[in-house]
Amino acid sequence: MKLSKKSEYGLRALLELTLAYGTATLQRHEIAIRQHIPVDFLEQILLALKRAGLLASRRGMKGGYTLIKSPEEITLGQVIRILDGPLAPISCVSKTAYQKCSDCPYATKAYCPLQDAMGEVRNAIADILDHYTLSQFAKTKPAQRAS
């Protein structure tokens, strides 16, 4: 699985909103400057997260974005699914967007070796990302973030 720029930027924006949680709203240009994210792209990301019920926004001088839910309630897996879709490397092992393979010679058979392996990959990815909260993400030490 390769993380898209959309998810990468989304997680970086949520890092800023997590650090400000309960104390302030952040304007999109503040987040963009701090995290080196193009403002127009950030706006699309923030709107997607707002539509998904993770963020609230307020207009005006003291307006901006804020987390609706506590950072302890939001996982990295949720965010990536909102912005990129399923975590599964192939659609036939997805739990949220399953699609039967049409071009696979194993599609009509009882067993598929690819599904076995990719199912384990999906489970490993989901196991980590679905148990890693924004709160934990924000508390990661700088040396840990670099790896």
Side-chain angles (χ1 to χ4, degrees):
M1 176 188 136
K2 183 173 181 351
L3 196 65
S4 73
K5 277 293 180 191
K6 189 175 189 181
S7 282
E8 179 188 338
Y9 289 164
L11 290 170
R12 287 172 28 196
L14 287 169
L15 176 62
E16 291 296 330
L17 291 164
T18 297
L19 295 172
Y21 181 70
T23 60
T25 58
L26 294 178
Q27 294 183 345
R28 67 180 181 194
H29 71 273
E30 290 177 276
I31 297 168
I33 289 168
R34 291 180 192 168
Q35 290 295 327
H36 306 278
I37 302 171
V39 177
D40 292 339
F41 194 24
L42 178 61
E43 181 63 24
Q44 294 172 24
I45 293 166
L46 294 173
L47 287 174
L49 295 171
K50 181 181 172 184
R51 275 187 246 117
L54 299 184
L55 303 180
S57 65
R58 205 171 63 200
R59 294 178 184 240
M61 286 286 289
K62 295 187 181 189
Y65 288 89
T66 187
L67 290 172
I68 292 175
K69 296 180 178 181
S70 161
E72 287 86 24
E73 297 177 55
I74 303 169
T75 68
L76 302 189
Q78 285 175 290
V79 174
I80 294 168
R81 283 186 189 93
I82 290 165
L83 297 174
D84 281 347
L87 299 175
I90 57 176
S91 60
C92 65
V93 298
S94 176
K95 288 188 176 182
T96 59
Y98 172 83
Q99 287 184 340
K100 190 171 182 90
C101 300
S102 59
D103 61 345
C104 178
Y106 297 100
T108 58
K109 298 188 170 80
Y111 175 74
C112 174
L114 193 58
Q115 271 187 336
D116 256 7
M118 293 301 113
E120 284 189 44
V121 170
R122 181 221 45 232
N123 291 342
I125 291 169
D127 212 32
I128 294 166
L129 296 177
D130 289 340
H131 293 95
Y132 208 94
T133 66
L134 289 181
S135 183
Q136 292 168 311
F137 184 52
K139 290 178 185 170
T140 305
K141 292 182 177 27
Q144 291 173 308
R145 283 190 197 134
S147 37

